[in-house]
Amino acid sequence: MGEETQLPGKSVASALSAEAPRGLPHLRPGLPLSRRWFPAFVLLAGLSLTFLAAYYASRTIHLRSRAQFEATVLRARAGIRARFEVYEALLHGTAGFIAVENEITHDRFKSYIQRLRILDNYPGVLGIGFGPRVPASEKERLIVSMSEQGETHFRIWPPTADADLYPITLLEPQSPHNEGIVGYDMFSESVRREAMERARDTGDTAASGKVKLLDASQQSGFLIYCPVYHGGNVPETVADRRAQLQGFAFGVFRAGDLFASIFQEQTMGTQLEIFDGTNTDSTNLLFRSAKNAVEGVPFRRAFEEIIALDVSGRTWTARFYAEPELEGTWIVLSLLTVGTALSLVMFYLTRAEGRARRVAEQAAEQLQLSELALRESEERLRHYATELEHRVAERTANLAQSLQSLEGVLYHVAHDLRAPLRGMASFTSILLEEYGPNLDDRGRDYAQRICGAAQRMDRLVQDLLAYGRLGHTAVPVSKVSLDAEVRAALDRFSEEMDARDATVDVSTPLPPVKANAAVLNQILSSLLSNSLKFVRTETRPHVRIYAEETTSRMQTTEAKSNGVPSLDVQLSALDGKFVRLWVEDNGIGIAPEYHERIFRMFERLHSINAYPGTGIGLAIVRKGAERMGGRVGVESAGANGSRFWVELPAA
């Protein structure tokens, strides 16, 4: 009597109510501790799940951004190395040209530089010049010689007491920026002098420190010197190099213009600063891609990486900053907002449910119903919590999947475009057939143009679908007969070859390869089509097809990074056996500067009226070859035909 115990199937309140008629006062039982704090537990659990989901989303975005940032840094570093290797090769070539000339003249040098097309082929180069070694006693003789070449106002400046002078006598291309520079003694300035002495003693190119250029802009820049020795060869010893020095071929670079051209396509969301030397204060700043450094935003940090660059014996320091990814920040903020709101709603619901339960427990006659309602409410609560976890996991998975399915969406969009295009072409053809006599010449011309445009668009979509299929579907490889596939491709073009009076020579037998027959047939068809298409109207097409076995894949420049073959090429070339199939034509040819460009999507070198096509064919060729573990390329000097090659593993 009077003990507060929990009876089976009844609450403490019902037990006390049953004893109340015996004269005991009706006591209101206290709530169990777990029920009293249950709404707080629900709120805490909801907030914990919210912050956990936000943390993992932020972490995922952080790791992805970090990977993208590091890849950008690697591309930028490779871009600097590749660009300066080109510049060093340009200066070595200029030095070689000067060395083989007995007496270099202004006209000969100008003609040489014009053929190099500096402004078009070497962006960032302000000028290429030559500064001969002139003993002080030969100073007047040089002035007379320059006057005879048309430099009537030539003078050597500034005055110096050095035994040897190094005035600028040749500088191309001529421009308003370079006026007044000829005659300047580069050895008179300490920064330039240090680089010249280093180039002279090492026999290799040497970059100067940061200098103020002598052109009209007075911008900061630097120079790269390449020594020229009498006889053309580099002497063995330092003493001989100093004695046989003829002068310096040099390149002038405006830092802002140069690095802006290099990093315009390399950094992609990353900011960059480049300093001369290892000191990163503002006095050594050569280039800055943005005025302000990147600042962090909530749940994101701006990445930073500092690397040292060796440029022609000169150490530069490059500092990379990652820009914040606002899209990822909004995802994290959205998760926090939605999760917090749901947690507060659940807290409110559970608290209200607890209050309702306390009211229900005060009525003994409704005890069983209240307990049933409580169990149902608890079940709903567990269901809500489970559903919340499921939705958070599902949305996180959908986010990752959406990032991977963009190419697939584009593929299906391109596929769906074909139906309206076919309808457009069909109805336009019907219009011309049934109502052509009722249209004037202009109307028929417009209708024919619509039909032609729809057909061209349909071909474009077909090529897009073909390109997309190569990226989506599996490409199993097996032993394939090159002879059979070449014959099949030639049979497909037999009518076109007869119409063009074309001849095709095939050097049989062709060795078998490891490939996918359908993809290989598509590659051969595209190459044969181009060989017949890109031929001058008055020329009879002639195509030659042959193959050779090669083990030289590891030696190609495309597979190298800083002189070491890349990992994927090493793995694919372990056995060293490949077959290179050549398709040679007598067409219009391809200039060397376009050899890489023609394999990109939608790249055309001619108008569609001159040579019809979609600009995707060679991109499909490259994609197909790569999916089969091979690669493609072209050799052509322009105007005298082209030689396309496809390299595949030997069977």
Side-chain angles (χ1 to χ4, degrees):
M1 299 294 292
E3 295 181 355
E4 294 183 3
T5 57
Q6 182 73 35
L7 300 179
K10 296 184 179 181
S11 66
V12 175
S14 62
L16 292 177
S17 299
E19 294 181 352
R22 299 184 182 183
L24 294 177
H26 184 81
L27 301 178
R28 183 176 180 179
L31 290 175
L33 183 63
S34 59
R35 287 173 52 192
R36 187 185 310 165
W37 294 101
F38 185 72
F41 292 155
V42 171
L43 178 61
L44 180 61
L47 293 178
S48 299
L49 289 174
T50 298
F51 284 106
L52 185 62
Y55 168 77
Y56 279 111
S58 176
R59 183 65 176 170
T60 301
I61 296 169
H62 176 84
L63 294 176
R64 182 191 64 184
S65 300
R66 181 69 187 181
Q68 293 175 348
F69 172 74
E70 292 177 352
T72 298
V73 172
L74 290 176
R75 288 197 302 270
R77 188 173 187 176
I80 294 175
R81 183 184 298 110
R83 181 67 66 89
F84 279 95
E85 286 177 355
V86 171
Y87 293 152
E88 290 174 357
L90 171 65
L91 289 176
H92 279 296
T94 303
F97 169 74
I98 295 172
V100 299
E101 292 283 328
N102 292 328
E103 292 186 6
I104 185 68
T105 64
H106 179 271
D107 292 338
R108 291 275 295 165
F109 187 78
K110 181 177 182 180
S111 176
Y112 173 77
I113 296 300
Q114 284 179 344
R115 290 182 64 85
L116 293 177
R117 298 174 63 189
I118 296 293
L119 299 180
D120 296 331
N121 298 331
Y122 303 93
V125 180
L126 192 61
I128 300 295
F130 176 64
R133 178 184 184 182
V134 180
S137 59
E138 300 290 332
K139 176 179 179 180
E140 296 301 327
R141 181 179 177 183
L142 175 64
I143 294 175
V144 173
S145 175
M146 294 298 294
S147 178
E148 291 175 353
Q149 296 184 44
E151 296 288 343
T152 57
H153 300 289
F154 179 81
R155 65 185 180 91
I156 300 177
W157 59 282
T160 179
D162 293 335
D164 291 327
L165 309 176
Y166 295 87
I168 299 175
T169 59
L170 301 171
L171 185 61
E172 293 292 339
Q174 291 292 339
S175 67
H177 297 290
N178 297 333
E179 292 180 357
I181 300 178
V182 175
Y184 174 70
D185 182 7
M186 297 180 288
F187 214 59
S188 63
E189 195 270 321
S190 59
V191 178
R192 294 175 172 87
R193 183 170 187 157
E194 185 275 334
M196 295 167 70
E197 290 176 342
R198 181 157 39 90
R200 175 197 65 195
D201 294 344
T202 60
D204 202 354
T205 56
S208 74
K210 177 183 177 182
V211 297
K212 181 175 289 185
L213 300 179
L214 301 175
D215 62 356
S217 68
Q218 292 289 297
Q219 292 188 19
S220 298
F222 60 94
L223 295 88
I224 298 180
Y225 293 94
C226 183
V228 181
Y229 301 97
H230 290 288
N233 296 322
V234 179
E236 295 293 333
T237 66
V238 174
D240 290 340
R241 293 170 190 164
R242 294 180 177 180
Q244 299 181 30
L245 182 65
Q246 180 181 349
F248 295 94
F250 64 90
V252 184
F253 303 86
R254 187 181 298 157
D257 297 343
L258 171 64
F259 293 113
S261 66
I262 294 178
F263 298 106
Q264 184 176 7
E265 298 181 356
Q266 293 288 343
T267 54
M268 294 180 61
T270 301
Q271 295 179 1
L272 169 70
E273 292 177 342
I274 294 183
F275 300 87
D276 177 34
T278 58
N279 192 350
T280 58
D281 58 26
S282 59
T283 58
N284 293 332
L285 182 64
L286 282 172
F287 172 75
R288 174 176 287 163
S289 60
K291 295 183 179 179
N292 300 320
V294 175
E295 298 294 340
V297 296
F299 306 100
R300 301 284 299 138
R301 287 184 57 190
F303 300 113
E304 178 181 357
E305 184 167 344
I306 299 176
I307 61 175
L309 302 173
D310 184 4
V311 179
S312 297
R314 185 79 182 179
T315 299
W316 286 351
T317 302
R319 178 187 293 166
F320 294 87
Y321 297 92
E323 296 180 353
E325 186 177 335
L326 296 180
E327 179 183 356
T329 303
W330 283 114
I331 292 174
V332 176
L333 292 177
S334 298
L335 283 174
L336 286 174
T337 302
V338 174
T340 302
L342 289 176
S343 299
L344 292 174
V345 170
M346 293 300 299
F347 171 75
Y348 173 78
L349 292 177
T350 54
R351 188 177 180 184
E353 187 271 340
R355 289 177 178 176
R357 183 175 180 180
R358 287 196 300 271
V359 172
E361 287 178 346
Q362 295 176 2
E365 65 275 9
Q366 297 181 353
L367 179 61
Q368 297 296 329
L369 296 177
S370 299
E371 290 180 349
L372 179 60
L374 177 60
R375 287 194 294 270
E376 292 178 352
S377 298
E378 290 177 345
E379 184 65 27
R380 287 197 301 271
L381 178 60
R382 287 192 294 270
H383 174 72
Y384 292 155
T386 303
E387 184 178 358
L388 176 60
E389 294 178 1
H390 175 72
R391 289 182 179 179
V392 171
E394 182 180 8
R395 290 178 182 178
T396 303
N398 289 339
L399 175 62
Q401 184 179 3
S402 64
L403 295 176
Q404 301 174 358
S405 63
L406 178 58
E407 185 178 354
V409 172
L410 295 177
Y411 167 78
H412 292 296
V413 169
H415 184 274
D416 292 342
L417 285 175
R418 295 198 63 195
L421 287 174
R422 289 195 297 268
M424 185 187 302
S426 299
F427 281 111
T428 307
S429 299
I430 295 173
L431 177 65
L432 288 171
E433 291 177 2
E434 297 184 1
Y435 298 97
N438 298 332
L439 300 174
D440 56 9
D441 293 340
R442 177 176 293 182
R444 285 190 295 274
D445 179 60
Y446 286 167
Q448 291 171 353
R449 291 188 182 186
I450 293 173
C451 185
Q455 293 173 352
R456 288 194 300 272
M457 187 65 180
D458 186 60
R459 289 194 296 271
L460 177 61
V461 171
Q462 290 184 48
D463 287 347
L464 283 173
L465 290 174
Y467 188 84
R469 280 192 294 270
L470 287 176
H472 280 80
T473 59
V475 183
V477 297
S478 59
K479 183 176 181 181
V480 175
S481 171
L482 268 181
D483 281 323
E485 296 303 324
V486 169
R487 284 196 302 271
L490 291 175
D491 291 341
R492 186 178 298 105
F493 288 92
S494 59
E495 294 183 2
E496 184 176 350
M497 289 188 296
D498 293 340
R500 299 289 302 275
D501 195 19
T503 59
V504 179
D505 295 334
V506 181
S507 299
T508 56
L510 300 175
V513 296
K514 293 179 181 179
N516 182 279
V519 176
L520 178 58
N521 192 277
Q522 189 175 21
I523 291 174
L524 293 173
S525 299
S526 181
L527 294 178
L528 284 173
S529 176
N530 287 349
S531 298
L532 298 174
K533 181 196 307 181
F534 292 99
V535 178
R536 298 177 184 85
T537 55
E538 68 277 3
T539 302
R540 177 185 176 189
H542 177 74
V543 182
R544 179 171 174 249
I545 302 175
Y546 59 97
E548 61 183 5
E549 295 185 354
T550 177
T551 58
S552 62
R553 187 176 189 188
M554 293 278 290
Q555 303 301 322
T556 59
T557 58
E558 306 97 295
K560 291 187 177 182
S561 175
N562 195 20
V564 180
S566 61
L567 179 60
D568 59 339
V569 174
Q570 295 183 48
L571 294 176
S572 62
L574 287 177
D575 56 3
K577 296 179 181 180
F578 296 90
V579 173
R580 179 172 287 190
L581 179 69
W582 294 87
V583 180
E584 182 177 334
D585 61 50
N586 62 338
I588 59 177
I590 304 168
E593 59 266 26
Y594 300 119
H595 286 183
E596 176 64 22
R597 174 180 166 185
I598 60 175
F599 290 100
R600 302 173 186 167
M601 289 282 287
F602 304 112
E603 289 287 352
R604 297 182 56 86
L605 305 182
H606 307 281
S607 68
I608 194 170
N609 294 327
Y611 297 99
T614 62
I616 308 177
L618 291 179
I620 294 176
V621 170
R622 167 174 280 185
K623 186 75 170 181
E626 291 175 350
R627 288 300 306 275
M628 295 187 295
R631 56 187 189 138
V632 297
V634 63
E635 294 181 1
S636 176
N640 294 320
S642 306
R643 292 200 312 161
F644 284 86
W645 54 267
V646 180
E647 190 173 271
L648 296 171

